[in-house]
Amino acid sequence: MSYKVSYFHDGDIGNFYYGQGHPMKPHRLSLTHNLILNYGLDEYMQVYRPRYACEEDLMQFHTEDYVDFLKRVSPNSINLFTNSLRRFNVGDDCPVFEGLFTYCQIYSGGSIDGALKLNHNQCDVAINWAGGLHHARSDEASGFCYINDIVLAILEMLKYYSRILYIDIDIHHGDGVQDAFYTTDRVMTVSFHKYGNNFFPGTGDIDEIGVKSGKYYSINVPLKDGIDDKSYLSLFKLVISEVIDHYRPTAVVLQCGADSLNCDRLGRFNLSLKGHAECVSFVKKFGLPTLVVGGGGYTIRNVARCWTYETSVLLDIDLDNNLPDNDYYEYFGPDYNLHPPIIKTGENLNSKSYLEQLRVQSLQNIRALIGAPSVQMNYVPPDYMISDDYLFEDEWDPDQRESQTQIDLKVKHKNEFYENDKDQDQDQDLTIDI
């Protein structure tokens, strides 16, 4: 059985602008996608332009009045919404900008579409780097996040998967996702993040374990400044192994916030690209249907490096450390390498005794689970599965010009090599303009 990766990207996503001086820059997604294309990784994936999430999609989690507000508010009409801005926590961190609602529709649509692909066994891994906005609540914005695409995707996946494991390696606690599933055993949330000293969002201490039916189904690993690859990975691999062994998830959602990297504009950790990606590689080895999304990340050249490299990890393809020519080559100076040098921003404040304390408490919480919860799956609510009729090449009309979607779906296999220009097995070069 072949291993399939579906990749979602809309060329417009990088054009949205939070405003001058704001650390969240969707333009990082343009850098990421362009680097993926110039490394040729698109040739080994099914590439899709996501469907815009409609209001009904968004209201599977978010309240109707909040979604209506996001749809109607704009920079030109903002003065008409003074009370609503306060009510929905829209302001400095979560500003109103041109095209806000369309932005939410695009990044949410990618995660929902990825969930649908997994639900219908059309891929093994779905990637939406535009997603991962894990702070948004059902009725308010938070931490640069307006719509919680992760919650929406998980709700879609719960129609087909009995137990879903959510893993968050952003430097900020995945509070919005945790809160959404805090009272259920259908979703287990595991978050590794910085905690303390009023660091946003101020939640995610180790004693936050869930309530009611969700008790012990929230695992938090609160870390201090300066943690390095060795310390982080030792905890990550131990905790995730134990969770999978006890919870036995049937699918995974992995949030790969890149603000946990060394030298991030807002972060305080000392993780390398390889250390961060090792978490992705470790999760992939369990062979579970997996949705991979982005998240934080505010030094945009390193965000692009990180998510490009992690795309290659998911595809089992080695990349040259020398960056290929690309539209944003000047962003990656002065070294122009995929893996930048590690410049430690401070000492590792996570002492051996503190890490041991986290290890012991985390294992106690995990082992308090009484086996994997069983779920009786009966009626499955309808979804909005996009037809994949175009996947069947024998049904294409040879007299018609191929659409961009058909071109995107011509996925190269890693064993398709050729000897020279006369080799009849040579693959034709494909270009994607998205």
Side-chain angles (χ1 to χ4, degrees):
M1 182 180 295
S2 61
Y3 177 80
K4 294 182 180 179
V5 176
S6 293
Y7 170 85
F8 295 86
H9 178 78
D10 187 300
D12 292 333
I13 193 69
N15 298 329
F16 296 98
Y17 184 56
Y18 274 62
Q20 186 174 3
H22 198 290
M24 175 60 104
K25 301 187 184 301
H27 186 54
R28 63 197 182 142
L29 297 161
S30 296
L31 272 71
T32 302
H33 183 64
N34 196 260
L35 202 53
I36 285 171
L37 293 184
N38 282 282
Y39 265 119
L41 296 176
D42 55 294
E43 298 177 359
Y44 303 94
M45 303 184 287
Q46 294 177 332
V47 180
Y48 298 94
R49 183 177 291 108
R51 172 185 61 91
Y52 282 24
C54 65
E55 293 171 62
E56 185 178 352
D57 292 329
L58 305 181
M59 288 188 293
Q60 296 302 306
F61 173 62
H62 295 281
T63 61
E64 182 176 358
D65 51 352
Y66 176 54
V67 172
D68 183 64
F69 162 76
L70 291 176
K71 182 180 179 181
R72 293 192 295 125
V73 73
S74 71
N76 293 329
S77 66
I78 194 169
N79 293 332
L80 303 175
F81 293 92
T82 304
N83 292 332
S84 295
L85 292 170
R86 191 178 307 109
R87 175 187 174 191
F88 297 124
N89 195 35
V90 172
D92 293 335
D93 280 354
C94 301
V96 174
F97 55 84
E98 192 65 40
L100 171 58
F101 190 65
T102 302
Y103 169 67
C104 294
Q105 288 180 293
I106 293 174
Y107 78 73
S108 298
S111 294
I112 295 171
D113 282 0
L116 290 170
K117 288 289 183 186
L118 293 167
N119 284 352
H120 292 270
N121 299 314
Q122 293 180 350
C123 67
D124 301 288
V125 173
I127 302 172
N128 177 34
W129 293 126
L133 278 70
H134 57 173
H135 295 305
R137 308 302 178 98
S138 64
D139 57 356
E140 68 175 30
S142 178
F144 315 158
C145 307
Y146 303 87
I147 294 294
N148 199 314
D149 63 288
I150 301 170
V151 172
L152 294 173
I154 290 175
L155 290 173
E156 197 64 45
M157 293 170 71
L158 285 171
K159 297 175 183 178
Y160 289 80
Y161 297 102
S162 56
R163 295 177 300 278
I164 296 177
L165 171 60
Y166 171 69
I167 304 170
D168 193 314
I169 59 174
D170 195 290
I171 198 171
H172 299 95
H173 178 230
D175 57 336
V177 182
Q178 174 182 284
D179 289 356
F181 302 108
Y182 207 54
T183 61
T184 181
D185 59 7
R186 294 284 309 279
V187 179
M188 188 162 188
T189 62
V190 183
S191 180
F192 300 81
H193 50 268
K194 174 175 162 55
Y195 178 79
N197 297 323
N198 298 314
F199 191 73
F200 183 85
T203 56
D205 203 354
I206 200 165
D207 59 1
E208 295 179 27
I209 57 174
V211 296
K212 299 181 180 179
S213 297
K215 189 173 183 181
Y216 297 118
Y217 292 94
S218 290
I219 300 295
N220 286 290
V221 183
L223 301 166
K224 300 179 181 179
D225 288 354
I227 193 162
D228 55 23
D229 289 352
K230 182 179 179 181
S231 300
Y232 192 97
L233 289 171
S234 65
L235 268 177
F236 181 87
K237 292 183 176 182
L238 175 66
V239 169
I240 297 303
S241 295
E242 288 287 322
V243 165
I244 288 180
D245 185 49
H246 285 76
Y247 185 60
R248 298 183 183 179
T250 52
V252 175
V253 176
L254 176 59
Q255 197 266 20
C256 299
D259 47 5
S260 48
L261 290 173
N262 170 253
C263 288
D264 184 79
R265 180 177 172 184
L266 299 184
R268 296 292 183 272
F269 286 175
N270 282 319
L271 298 185
S272 68
L273 256 67
K274 290 184 178 180
H276 196 273
E278 178 60 25
C279 297
V280 178
S281 177
F282 186 75
V283 172
K284 176 179 176 290
K285 289 176 183 177
F286 289 97
L288 295 167
T290 303
L291 173 64
V292 179
V293 293
Y298 308 101
T299 301
I300 64 172
R301 62 184 181 276
N302 288 343
V303 175
R305 285 167 160 143
C306 179
W307 292 344
T308 298
Y309 180 59
E310 289 175 351
T311 302
S312 77
V313 167
L314 291 166
L315 292 168
D316 289 323
I317 293 175
D318 293 329
L319 297 183
D320 192 323
N321 191 41
N322 294 314
L323 292 177
D325 289 337
N326 62 86
D327 293 347
Y328 305 99
Y329 193 73
E330 69 278 4
Y331 279 70
F332 300 99
D335 55 289
Y336 304 102
N337 289 330
L338 179 61
H339 297 278
I342 296 295
I343 304 173
K344 290 192 175 182
T345 56
E347 65 175 311
N348 186 353
L349 300 182
N350 299 271
S351 65
K352 289 184 178 180
S353 60
Y354 180 68
L355 293 173
E356 177 63 15
Q357 177 186 338
L358 289 180
R359 185 190 72 81
V360 171
Q361 187 61 56
S362 296
L363 293 182
Q364 286 180 355
N365 291 341
I366 296 167
R367 291 168 182 172
L369 297 175
I370 306 174
S374 60
V375 177
Q376 186 174 359
M377 304 290 285
N378 292 317
Y379 169 71
V380 177
D383 58 36
Y384 301 94
M385 189 60 221
I386 302 170
S387 172
D388 256 357
D389 291 343
Y390 50 69
L391 284 173
F392 301 101
E393 292 188 51
D394 56 348
E395 297 180 5
W396 294 352
D397 185 347
D399 295 327
Q400 290 186 357
R401 182 179 179 181
E402 288 184 341
S403 69
Q404 187 62 54
T405 300
Q406 291 168 343
I407 295 172
D408 293 350
L409 287 168
K410 285 189 172 180
V411 182
K412 281 188 178 180
H413 297 286
K414 286 174 286 186
N415 61 349
E416 291 181 351
F417 299 109
Y418 59 92
E419 298 293 335
N420 53 49
D421 292 341
K422 296 181 180 180
D423 190 336
Q424 297 301 307
D425 293 328
Q426 177 180 346
D427 293 318
Q428 297 299 313
D429 290 336
L430 303 178
T431 58
I432 293 181
D433 182 16
I434 296 179

